[in-house]
Amino acid sequence: MAVRTPDPDPDESGEGALPSDPLRGVGTAGGGTANPAWLSDVELAEARRRIPMLYVEAVPVRTDGVGAVTQVGILLRATPLGEMTRSIVSGRVRYGETVRDALFRHVENDLGPMAFPQLPASPVPFTVAEYFPIPGVSAFHDDRQHAVSLAFVVPVTGTCEPRQDALEVTWLDPAEAASDALAAEMEGGRGTLVRQALASVGALR
Amino acid sequence: MAVRTPDPDPDESGEGALPSDPLRGVGTAGGGTANPAWLSDVELAEARRRIPMLYVEAVPVRTDGVGAVTQVGILLRATPLGEMTRSIVSGRVRYGETVRDALFRHVENDLGPMAFPQLPASPVPFTVAEYFPIPGVSAFHDDRQHAVSLAFVVPVTGTCEPRQDALEVTWLDPAEAASDALAAEMEGGRGTLVRQALASVGALR
Amino acid sequence: MAVRTPDPDPDESGEGALPSDPLRGVGTAGGGTANPAWLSDVELAEARRRIPMLYVEAVPVRTDGVGAVTQVGILLRATPLGEMTRSIVSGRVRYGETVRDALFRHVENDLGPMAFPQLPASPVPFTVAEYFPIPGVSAFHDDRQHAVSLAFVVPVTGTCEPRQDALEVTWLDPAEAASDALAAEMEGGRGTLVRQALASVGALR
Amino acid sequence: MAVRTPDPDPDESGEGALPSDPLRGVGTAGGGTANPAWLSDVELAEARRRIPMLYVEAVPVRTDGVGAVTQVGILLRATPLGEMTRSIVSGRVRYGETVRDALFRHVENDLGPMAFPQLPASPVPFTVAEYFPIPGVSAFHDDRQHAVSLAFVVPVTGTCEPRQDALEVTWLDPAEAASDALAAEMEGGRGTLVRQALASVGALR
């Protein structure tokens, strides 16, 4: 399947947005309205070809009364080209932003303000996923950049109302979430990431 | 300071209770009322001298909106001899019981039913603490037995009303919880465990 | 397939050996020659029906020059009934023994003295596997007992010469080791454990 | 004490080197000799003010026969200003480079080719250290940039011969390595990182 970027950030002027992003005007000079430390579209595109980009990713889960994972939330997204693809919560860490704040921001962006996520107390991810622009270097692939992602399992206790380009959250049981069928639909190799997430919580068979 | 056992379990007939435990009658034949797979007091005392006992421990914490630890809950307990000592949530895993269920049971026993703990999604502890009857083998010591404890950080969101022999929960900030002064008051070397817990969540300086 | 015990320990008088174990005399009164703190066969069999037994397990791996896992070592064992089955390094922690010492002892028992294992610096396992005598409670099953196992990935740099009842070590690449075919041959659900081990080192696809 | 950067990379044209670095000529146009994807000095300095930089760090340790940490290696460095400071292995991940390769490269740069490091099988760091240019945001501080570091404990089995600007490796026992005295000498808050490393291997008291 076509691979797309982990983090279009379409609501952020000049911060990670693709020039071709249909949800924002091409002409908005990013640096103008945002933090001056942030990058314009051109600068960000340039940096993406030169520096590893730091990302956070979250696999949303539902847990039972004693913390065991019962369901995994998979996002359905529309790509800028109108294609449908499956993914997880994913986005870039901004300059000056803590990893926790970035994780919270992207969970809220993708799952809505009523998801009530329980961010982990530990800053240690369950894995570090390395996305390379050339396929085959690792399990993960991103046409656009070299991205290194800190990936977390995040229990959510509220109601998910996807925002932005995430159209829907589908809740799957662990066996479905680990299936080859789902992996084939997920972008950039994230089926592997979901399996590693399940393994980290003892829910992979 | 005098060292006492991690898990008096005084409310459980024949399951981990000390013969000298003031909260229960010495004459209650443990095996009678409990699961037949469980042990009488005599059998348990015997097993403690022959087999490593499996424990779970929990360091209760309060977290802020993005999951960072802001406070650590330390229990004040009265020992069977009337001495005051500081500890954390600690108790034995029973035959047939999952680690999660044991963790939930002991958190509820020590913090009350309104603590609303968020048990971790991952079954991996932040450390494995080994208690030996002879001091100096490891950082941890238990006169009574060789115990191996799976230790977890557990955020609690509700109100703690200590039950059983836990008299009080004191909430300390991370710096106080890591202090030498607190470590000196904690039983069995658990000051070390609290520091390791803080380190695991990035809150040890 | 038939399920067998994680740790026959056939070379240890009265320490974990099955009464039916063909490699040792039934009449050797275990307690006589061993550490008095250890258990006779009868006592151990009794304890196994009353107390969770603490185990360590090791998934042996070969790594490349920068630490990435390239191969997984799977043991071929003969059961007491002469059946062939696949497993990993597995054994009980003795009274008074550290988890590290137990891990080293069982790796050496199963892989021989020239395996040169690199035991992990961290005492934290990649997962905690819970074996119950009743199938279906968890992913892991052991007819004989309730066992809780701390499972580690252990790189070995030398030559493996299986001893005891391990007949052979087969080195598989990560994809083979994670396959359904292998999982079906492994005892007690350990195919799941191998997958979780691979996930923990980023080698599960 | 004065804070300096985690990664001078003085041997790399245009890759992380400080313009004021005494070990390389100021005039070497970085982009010329290096991978075209890499950055010139000016570009890198610019990126450092706009994007979080991804780093790896390693706490070198010596272990005993069963993997327990017995000593911690602390580097003595001379800063560009001639000041002496203590640190650990630290450096930037380059565009297109895996985290493992970066870790190996920086360990070899700082400890020499005969250190024989055992890089961890798992890609998961013991902690994620966040360095901000403004002191007080986190435990870690770097005047020059916002850096996010994946920190690993790396056992070394050979002989360390520091290269580049690392003048010496001092081996300390865990208690010394965790002391306030050492922490006061370490740059950018790395005393905290050493303590977290010790905690992760069960060697912090």
Side-chain angles (χ1 to χ4, degrees):
Chain A
M1 59 166 289
V3 173
R4 55 185 290 287
T5 61
D7 181 19
D9 267 353
D11 62 343
E12 299 168 17
S13 285
E15 253 306 274
L18 288 167
S20 62
D21 193 313
L23 300 184
R24 59 187 293 272
V26 169
T28 58
T33 56
N35 185 326
W38 295 343
L39 301 177
S40 72
D41 288 357
V42 172
E43 288 166 330
L44 183 60
E46 185 66 19
R48 287 200 147 112
R49 288 193 295 270
R50 302 290 191 86
I51 289 182
M53 293 285 124
L54 181 66
Y55 272 68
V56 288
E57 297 192 281
V59 178
V61 298
R62 299 262 187 218
T63 58
D64 67 13
V66 293
V69 168
T70 55
Q71 289 188 305
V72 178
I74 303 292
L75 302 180
L76 185 67
R77 284 191 203 268
T79 70
L81 302 176
E83 229 178 323
M84 304 306 279
T85 178
R86 296 202 177 271
S87 193
I88 55 174
V89 174
S90 177
R92 198 162 75 78
V93 180
R94 286 176 181 159
Y95 181 86
E97 186 182 41
T98 67
V99 167
R100 285 184 187 288
D101 286 344
L103 191 59
F104 185 82
R105 177 169 60 87
H106 289 293
V107 168
E108 194 175 48
N109 273 353
D110 282 349
L111 303 183
M114 306 302 284
F116 297 126
Q118 296 175 347
L119 294 204
S122 170
V124 178
F126 70 83
T127 202
V128 174
E130 302 179 67
Y131 294 83
F132 291 99
I134 299 168
V137 178
S138 73
F140 307 105
H141 174 224
D142 184 344
D143 276 346
R144 195 177 42 154
Q145 61 188 343
H146 173 196
V148 175
S149 158
L150 309 179
F152 297 88
V153 171
V154 176
V156 297
T157 58
T159 306
C160 294
E161 298 164 357
R163 305 197 305 182
Q164 299 196 20
D165 63 340
L167 300 181
E168 191 187 295
V169 179
T170 310
W171 293 98
L172 304 177
D173 67 38
E176 291 170 308
S179 69
D180 289 341
L182 184 76
E185 286 182 47
M186 294 196 75
E187 58 182 13
R190 286 188 183 74
T192 291
L193 203 58
V194 169
R195 286 175 184 162
Q196 292 181 353
L198 287 166
S200 77
V201 297
L204 183 86
R205 291 293 173 105
Chain B
M1 59 164 291
V3 174
R4 58 185 288 287
T5 62
D7 182 18
D9 265 354
D11 63 341
E12 299 168 15
S13 286
E15 255 304 277
L18 287 168
S20 62
D21 192 312
L23 299 184
R24 61 185 293 270
V26 169
T28 59
T33 55
N35 185 327
W38 295 343
L39 300 177
S40 73
D41 288 356
V42 171
E43 289 167 329
L44 183 60
E46 186 66 18
R48 287 198 147 114
R49 288 192 294 269
R50 303 291 192 84
I51 288 181
M53 293 285 126
L54 181 66
Y55 272 67
V56 286
E57 297 192 283
V59 177
V61 298
R62 300 261 187 220
T63 57
D64 67 13
V66 291
V69 169
T70 55
Q71 289 188 304
V72 178
I74 303 292
L75 303 180
L76 185 68
R77 283 191 204 270
T79 70
L81 302 176
E83 228 177 325
M84 305 306 278
T85 178
R86 296 204 177 270
S87 192
I88 55 173
V89 174
S90 178
R92 198 161 76 76
V93 180
R94 286 175 181 160
Y95 181 86
E97 184 180 43
T98 66
V99 167
R100 283 185 188 287
D101 286 344
L103 190 59
F104 185 83
R105 177 169 59 87
H106 289 293
V107 167
E108 193 174 49
N109 273 354
D110 282 350
L111 302 183
M114 305 302 284
F116 297 126
Q118 295 176 347
L119 294 204
S122 169
V124 178
F126 70 82
T127 202
V128 175
E130 303 180 67
Y131 294 84
F132 291 99
I134 299 169
V137 178
S138 73
F140 307 105
H141 174 225
D142 184 344
D143 276 347
R144 194 177 46 152
Q145 63 189 343
H146 174 195
V148 175
S149 158
L150 309 178
F152 297 88
V153 171
V154 177
V156 297
T157 58
T159 306
C160 293
E161 299 164 358
R163 304 198 305 184
Q164 299 195 21
D165 63 341
L167 301 181
E168 192 187 295
V169 179
T170 310
W171 293 99
L172 304 177
D173 67 38
E176 290 171 309
S179 68
D180 290 341
L182 184 76
E185 287 182 46
M186 294 198 74
E187 59 183 12
R190 284 187 185 77
T192 291
L193 204 58
V194 169
R195 286 174 184 163
Q196 292 181 353
L198 287 166
S200 77
V201 296
L204 182 84
R205 292 294 174 105
Chain C
M1 58 165 290
V3 174
R4 57 184 289 289
T5 61
D7 182 18
D9 265 354
D11 63 341
E12 301 167 16
S13 286
E15 255 305 278
L18 287 169
S20 64
D21 192 312
L23 299 184
R24 62 185 293 271
V26 169
T28 58
T33 55
N35 185 326
W38 295 343
L39 299 177
S40 73
D41 288 356
V42 172
E43 288 166 329
L44 182 60
E46 186 66 18
R48 287 199 147 113
R49 288 193 294 270
R50 303 291 191 85
I51 288 183
M53 293 285 125
L54 181 66
Y55 273 68
V56 287
E57 297 192 283
V59 177
V61 298
R62 300 259 187 221
T63 57
D64 67 12
V66 292
V69 169
T70 55
Q71 289 188 305
V72 179
I74 303 292
L75 303 179
L76 186 67
R77 285 191 203 271
T79 70
L81 301 176
E83 228 176 325
M84 303 306 278
T85 179
R86 295 203 177 270
S87 193
I88 54 173
V89 174
S90 178
R92 199 162 74 76
V93 179
R94 287 175 180 160
Y95 181 87
E97 185 180 41
T98 66
V99 167
R100 282 185 189 287
D101 287 344
L103 190 59
F104 185 83
R105 177 168 60 86
H106 289 292
V107 168
E108 193 174 49
N109 273 354
D110 282 350
L111 302 183
M114 306 301 285
F116 296 124
Q118 296 175 347
L119 295 206
S122 169
V124 177
F126 70 82
T127 202
V128 175
E130 304 181 66
Y131 294 83
F132 291 99
I134 300 169
V137 178
S138 73
F140 307 105
H141 173 224
D142 184 344
D143 276 347
R144 194 176 45 151
Q145 63 190 342
H146 173 196
V148 175
S149 159
L150 309 179
F152 298 88
V153 171
V154 177
V156 297
T157 58
T159 307
C160 294
E161 299 163 358
R163 305 197 305 183
Q164 298 196 21
D165 63 341
L167 301 182
E168 192 187 293
V169 179
T170 310
W171 293 98
L172 304 176
D173 67 38
E176 292 171 308
S179 68
D180 289 342
L182 183 76
E185 287 181 47
M186 293 198 76
E187 58 182 12
R190 285 187 184 76
T192 291
L193 204 57
V194 170
R195 286 174 184 163
Q196 292 181 352
L198 287 166
S200 77
V201 297
L204 183 86
R205 292 294 174 104
Chain D
M1 58 166 289
V3 173
R4 56 186 288 289
T5 62
D7 182 17
D9 266 353
D11 62 341
E12 301 167 14
S13 285
E15 252 307 274
L18 288 168
S20 62
D21 193 311
L23 301 183
R24 60 185 293 270
V26 170
T28 59
T33 56
N35 185 325
W38 295 342
L39 300 178
S40 73
D41 289 356
V42 172
E43 288 167 329
L44 184 60
E46 185 66 18
R48 286 199 148 113
R49 289 194 293 272
R50 302 292 191 85
I51 288 182
M53 293 286 124
L54 181 66
Y55 272 68
V56 287
E57 298 193 281
V59 177
V61 299
R62 300 259 186 220
T63 58
D64 67 13
V66 292
V69 169
T70 55
Q71 289 188 305
V72 178
I74 303 292
L75 304 179
L76 186 67
R77 284 192 203 269
T79 69
L81 302 177
E83 228 177 326
M84 303 306 278
T85 178
R86 297 203 176 270
S87 192
I88 55 174
V89 174
S90 177
R92 199 162 74 78
V93 180
R94 287 175 181 161
Y95 181 86
E97 184 181 42
T98 66
V99 167
R100 283 184 188 288
D101 286 344
L103 191 59
F104 185 83
R105 176 169 60 87
H106 289 293
V107 168
E108 194 174 48
N109 273 355
D110 282 350
L111 303 183
M114 306 301 285
F116 296 125
Q118 296 175 347
L119 294 204
S122 169
V124 177
F126 71 82
T127 202
V128 175
E130 303 179 67
Y131 294 83
F132 290 99
I134 299 169
V137 178
S138 73
F140 307 106
H141 174 225
D142 183 345
D143 275 346
R144 194 177 45 152
Q145 61 189 343
H146 174 195
V148 175
S149 158
L150 309 178
F152 297 88
V153 171
V154 177
V156 296
T157 58
T159 307
C160 293
E161 298 164 358
R163 304 199 304 182
Q164 298 195 20
D165 63 340
L167 301 182
E168 190 187 295
V169 179
T170 310
W171 293 99
L172 304 176
D173 67 38
E176 290 171 308
S179 68
D180 289 341
L182 184 75
E185 287 181 48
M186 294 197 75
E187 58 182 12
R190 286 187 183 76
T192 291
L193 204 58
V194 170
R195 285 174 184 163
Q196 292 181 353
L198 288 166
S200 76
V201 296
L204 182 86
R205 291 295 173 102

